[in-house]
Amino acid sequence: MRGPFRIALAGLGHVGGGVAQILLTRGRELAQRAGRPLELVAVCARERSKPRRIDVSAIPWIGDAVALARTDADLVVEVIGGEGDPALSLIEAALNAGKAVVTANKALLAFEGARLAALAEDHAVPLRFEAAAAGGIPIVKGLRQSLITYGIDAVHGILNGTCNYILTQMEATGRSFADVLAEAQARGYAEADPELDVGGVDAAHKLSLLAALAFGVPPDMRAIHVEGIRHISRADIAFAREFNYRIKLLGIARQTPHGLDQRVQPAMVKLGTPLADVDGVFNAVVAHAGPAGAFTFEGRGAGEEPTTSAVISDIVDIARGESGPAFGRPAKDLRPLPQASPEAHICRYYLRFDVRDVPGVLADIAGHLSCEDVSIESMIQRGRNPGEPVAVVMVTHDAPETAVTRALQAIVSSDRVLGPPCMIPIEAG
Ligand SMILES: NC(=O)c1ccc[n+]([C@@H]2O[C@H](COP(=O)([O-])OP(=O)(O)OC[C@H]3O[C@@H](n4cnc5c(N)ncnc54)[C@H](OP(=O)(O)O)[C@@H]3O)[C@@H](O)[C@H]2O)c1
């Protein structure tokens, strides 16, 4: 067996604590897998005196995260988090010092991924991030190493467990978004500041990494259209069921004849298709690999054990000698592709309007849609008590996103339409 492979660990929180625990308690199995012992040679966190569930008192403690790059470690694990320092400076310093890096930090890689991948190649060391996209699901390896023969036409998936939990609970209990979010926060499924999750940004961070692996583009948050789930109501979820759909927050990156389309947004997913049955905090990604077909990866996208599992798998790969570019292609070959314009985004749409129950309102709505060549496939109108608003729900035929948006802008100007309409794309298949 070769000599020990030395690891420095930055962060001892949910993920780092789990990584330390596995390294310190599963040495024999890991050594068999890696072909050499894995040795934790340094740790760092913010507060040394904080009680931890794993005893790291025997491991040298380094007070400054960036100084881990100056230890004799072969590999640095960054599980501090955050887009900036110290995580960024630590990764840069480690790569510059010729050390391999494993990180779970999607927020940082979404902005710095291409530059850090180039830095890793300059120093001929691997940079790995399996845990950064969909936690324990091996989708990064799937796209980097396995599904490479025919290229990827599209990846789409449920990339944020908090949003999926909220939508699943809204459907199961009939409660409002605000109620379910409060409960998710109480149970620890949602952060005190939930905006990164419910606003769609966390899913976009992950999508930027999947798109880079799938299409050879640099991760680029600016290329992603991002919408969250705050505007989804109980009524939309109930209507979706009537049309045999469920509403899911999807991250989608797909090659179209007009360019690469990258978006995070709530979408109607047909019952019986793989993503429709992914519930609660689970994540799932479907990769369409040309003639090889579609592959569905499903599992826990967050949490200590799944994320630790992904980090440890990266460490073992590197200890065994696996190298190669972070995004599966040399960083210099990561090139932006033309972006598909919203005009080119054509699909069926679910539309809901709350309207005053007065004659002519339906004709008004239909007229504005027709002016934009948007035709209606089906419609439901639900009367309420006299004087109360009525919900009008329509499903359109295929239409460009921009045409539907223009029609809605005209429709909301009517004083008979109450509040902003809800527009949700219907995913094919
Ligand atoms: N949690 C998940 O399920 C999950 C899933 C996928 C990816 N990730 C990613 O994994 C990373 C870590 O997440 P986490 O949930 O483990 O976070 P966490 O529980 O908040 O842990 C963060 C750790 O970093 C340490 N830290 C914070 N600031 C520091 C500083 N300036 N210098 C040194 N150490 C510092 C903290 O020290 P103290 O312990 O002393 O406070 C803590 O140990 C993030 O990038 C996250 O996006 C997490």
Side-chain angles (χ1 to χ4, degrees):
M1 200 178 261
R2 287 187 291 157
F5 186 72
R6 294 179 301 271
I7 297 153
L9 176 61
L12 289 169
H14 293 102
V15 184
V19 170
Q21 183 156 30
I22 296 294
L23 289 174
L24 294 174
T25 58
R26 303 274 302 273
R28 227 172 82 84
E29 296 108 287
L30 293 179
Q32 283 170 347
R33 296 277 185 184
R36 59 201 296 196
L38 302 184
E39 193 183 321
L40 188 56
V41 296
V43 293
C44 167
R46 201 165 21 197
E47 254 185 79
R48 186 166 190 179
S49 57
K50 200 173 185 174
R52 316 247 170 221
R53 62 186 181 289
I54 177 84
D55 179 8
V56 290
S57 56
I59 314 292
W61 178 277
I62 308 290
D64 166 21
V66 182
L68 287 178
R70 296 193 293 274
T71 63
D72 66 351
D74 301 299
L75 178 149
V76 170
V77 179
E78 183 282 304
V79 280
I80 293 174
E83 288 169 33
D85 288 334
L88 178 58
S89 294
L90 168 59
I91 295 177
E92 286 172 339
L95 295 173
N96 279 320
K99 298 183 191 309
V101 170
V102 172
T103 178
N105 195 334
K106 57 241 171 187
L108 188 153
L109 290 177
F111 293 97
E112 302 285 349
R115 191 172 65 77
L116 293 174
L119 189 61
E121 283 168 44
D122 288 347
H123 294 277
V125 285
L127 166 66
R128 290 291 178 267
F129 56 90
E130 184 63 69
I137 301 176
I139 184 64
V140 172
K141 268 185 214 170
L143 292 173
R144 187 201 289 119
Q145 287 161 223
S146 307
L147 300 174
I148 56 167
T149 306
Y150 298 104
I152 299 290
D153 313 315
V155 275
H156 65 285
I158 295 169
L159 300 174
N160 184 276
T162 305
C163 289
N164 206 44
Y165 173 81
I166 291 172
L167 293 172
T168 306
Q169 283 296 309
M170 284 173 73
E171 182 177 340
T173 63
R175 285 184 298 152
S176 69
F177 171 83
D179 268 9
V180 176
L181 173 61
E183 187 222 300
Q185 286 171 313
R187 288 172 151 235
Y189 293 159
E191 301 288 336
D193 175 4
E195 209 39 53
L196 206 62
D197 290 319
V198 300
V201 175
D202 174 76
H205 289 154
K206 297 167 188 166
L207 183 71
S208 75
L209 304 180
L210 299 184
L213 290 156
F215 301 106
V217 294
D220 183 2
M221 289 290 288
R222 290 162 312 174
I224 305 177
H225 166 90
V226 184
E227 274 175 49
I229 61 165
R230 277 193 185 278
H231 62 290
I232 303 296
S233 70
R234 286 179 276 197
D236 297 317
I237 287 176
F239 281 125
R241 269 319 258 234
E242 289 193 36
F243 288 110
N244 284 327
Y245 289 98
R246 297 182 82 189
I247 300 175
K248 297 288 180 190
L249 182 73
L250 296 189
I252 301 170
R254 70 185 138 217
Q255 190 69 264
T256 77
H258 311 279
L260 187 61
D261 187 23
Q262 297 186 65
R263 49 184 64 233
V264 170
Q265 63 185 169
M268 296 271 175
V269 180
K270 186 93 179 154
L271 289 179
T273 57
L275 296 182
D277 289 334
V278 177
D279 280 338
V281 294
F282 277 72
N283 283 192
V285 181
V286 182
H288 297 265
F295 296 85
T296 304
F297 299 70
E298 184 184 345
R300 291 186 184 274
E304 179 190 315
E305 290 85 0
T307 315
T308 295
S309 154
V311 171
I312 294 285
S313 136
D314 278 344
I315 294 173
V316 168
D317 282 350
I318 295 171
R320 253 194 324 235
E322 203 240 271
S323 59
F327 291 100
R329 299 161 167 90
K332 68 175 173 33
D333 293 335
L334 298 175
R335 299 247 163 76
L337 289 170
Q339 277 173 244
S341 72
E343 196 64 52
H345 186 244
I346 295 176
C347 69
R348 293 155 67 230
Y349 284 93
Y350 160 97
L351 307 175
R352 175 181 51 77
F353 307 91
D354 287 328
V355 301
R356 282 185 218 287
D357 193 7
V358 289
V361 66
L362 278 182
D364 256 15
I365 293 173
H368 285 299
L369 288 167
S370 156
C371 276
E372 294 292 346
D373 278 335
V374 178
S375 59
I376 299 160
E377 183 189 287
S378 51
M379 196 190 88
I380 302 176
Q381 182 182 352
R382 283 288 141 78
R384 297 190 193 162
N385 299 324
E388 283 188 2
V390 169
V392 173
V393 171
M394 296 172 175
V395 170
T396 71
H397 286 291
D398 275 347
E401 182 177 21
T402 39
V404 179
T405 307
R406 277 195 304 268
L408 295 198
Q409 279 161 357
I411 289 167
V412 285
S413 64
S414 159
D415 62 2
R416 292 184 284 192
V417 174
L418 307 164
C422 180
M423 166 182 171
I424 303 177
I426 297 176
E427 267 299 296

